[in-house]
């Protein structure tokens, strides 16, 4: 299955990923500008909202040089897991993936086996956002519901069972002191 979905993503299409946060996510390949636009449209987001790079492992540019020697081991110990890290963007991060004013990027390294298999098959990160449709208070988590309500906006739906609705814990490392922006499924105590 991961090979079929990877082929869809490589052809420039969007899909919905299971996310162990456990809220689900919509995703597109990093180079798919239409997919990024579609993700923003589903959620009615402007370009000031971080889209997240979903990575199989810690990106090489997210090193201790960028986030500090004391923080990097805590990030590595917490991943894969239910966290989104806001990191300073380096020159390796395309501008379209950066927050326009802050020059930061959100990074996730999920634990979910299906998402990890897809990332391994792709060999590159995905751009994503929690699948929280406009006007809804919680993300959609049921594959049939997603296909029914957003089928025209997505090219594939991966249904790996109920993923729940608790979001990731979001931690901002773009400043000298870490700031917990949202408490969620990941334990923030290592970053306090």
């Amino acid at each position: 299955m991961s090979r079929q979905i990877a082929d869809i993503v490589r052809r420039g299409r969007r899909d919905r990923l299971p996310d162990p946060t456990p809220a689900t996510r919509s995703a597109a390949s990093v180079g798919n500008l239409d997919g990024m636009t579609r993700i923003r449209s589903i959620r009615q987001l402007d370009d000031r909202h971080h889209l997240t790079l979903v990575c199989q492992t810690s990106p090489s540019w997210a090193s201790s040089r960028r986030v500090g020697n004391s923080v990097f081991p805590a990030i590595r110990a917490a991943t894969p897991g239910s966290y989104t890290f806001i990191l300073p963007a380096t020159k390796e991060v395309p501008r379209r993936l950066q927050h326009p004013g802050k020059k930061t990027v959100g990074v996730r390294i999920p634990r979910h086996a299906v998402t990890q298999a897809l990332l391994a098959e792709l060999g590159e990160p995905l751009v994503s956002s929690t699948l929280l449709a406009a006007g809804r208070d919680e993300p959609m988590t049921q594959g049939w519901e997603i296909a029914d309500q957003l089928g025209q906006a997505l090219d594939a739906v991966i249904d790996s069972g109920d993923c729940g609705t608790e979001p990731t814990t979001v931690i901002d490392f773009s400043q000298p002191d870490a700031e917990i922006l949202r408490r969620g499924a990941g334990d923030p105590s290592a970053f306090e």
Side-chain angles (χ1 to χ4, degrees):
M1 176 184 65
S2 60
R3 179 170 289 147
Q4 293 169 321
I5 298 298
D7 288 343
I8 290 170
V9 172
R10 285 186 189 109
R11 288 192 303 264
R13 299 188 176 179
R14 300 141 313 274
D15 65 331
R16 171 259 182 206
L17 300 176
D19 185 345
T21 334
T24 56
R25 306 184 75 75
S26 55
S29 66
V30 171
N32 183 350
L33 297 177
D34 177 57
M36 291 171 62
T37 300
R38 189 69 58 101
I39 290 168
R40 290 184 187 284
S41 175
I42 289 169
R43 294 223 23 218
Q44 296 182 351
L45 300 171
D46 62 22
D47 65 354
R48 295 186 190 279
H49 183 89
H50 273 105
L51 293 180
T52 302
L53 280 176
V54 179
C55 304
Q56 185 179 21
T57 61
S58 182
S60 61
W61 51 264
S63 68
S64 59
R65 295 186 318 267
R66 298 300 297 172
V67 296
N69 289 329
S70 62
V71 172
F72 190 64
I75 291 175
R76 298 227 6 142
T79 56
S82 297
Y83 299 90
T84 299
F85 299 108
I86 307 299
L87 302 174
T90 65
K91 62 184 176 186
E92 290 94 345
V93 178
R95 190 177 313 224
R96 68 182 172 276
L97 300 177
Q98 299 177 25
H99 186 280
K102 299 178 183 179
K103 304 299 182 220
T104 56
V105 63
V107 175
R108 286 255 305 113
I109 304 169
R111 182 178 295 118
H112 198 283
V114 174
T115 304
Q116 281 288 331
L118 176 58
L119 292 166
E121 182 65 37
L122 281 170
E124 66 179 6
L126 289 166
V127 179
S128 78
S129 180
T130 301
L131 187 51
L132 182 62
R136 293 188 64 127
D137 294 328
E138 292 188 348
M140 290 186 277
T141 60
Q142 301 295 324
W144 64 267
E145 177 187 27
I146 294 163
D148 187 49
Q149 293 187 23
L150 297 174
Q152 73 285 356
L154 303 171
D155 295 300
V157 174
I158 304 171
D159 190 348
S160 61
D162 184 20
C163 293
T165 59
E166 188 174 14
T168 59
T169 295
V170 180
I171 304 169
D172 187 343
F173 289 109
S174 64
Q175 303 300 317
D177 294 321
E179 180 182 359
I180 298 169
L181 301 179
R182 179 179 70 202
R183 291 180 186 274
D187 179 6
S189 62
F191 305 101
E192 295 179 301

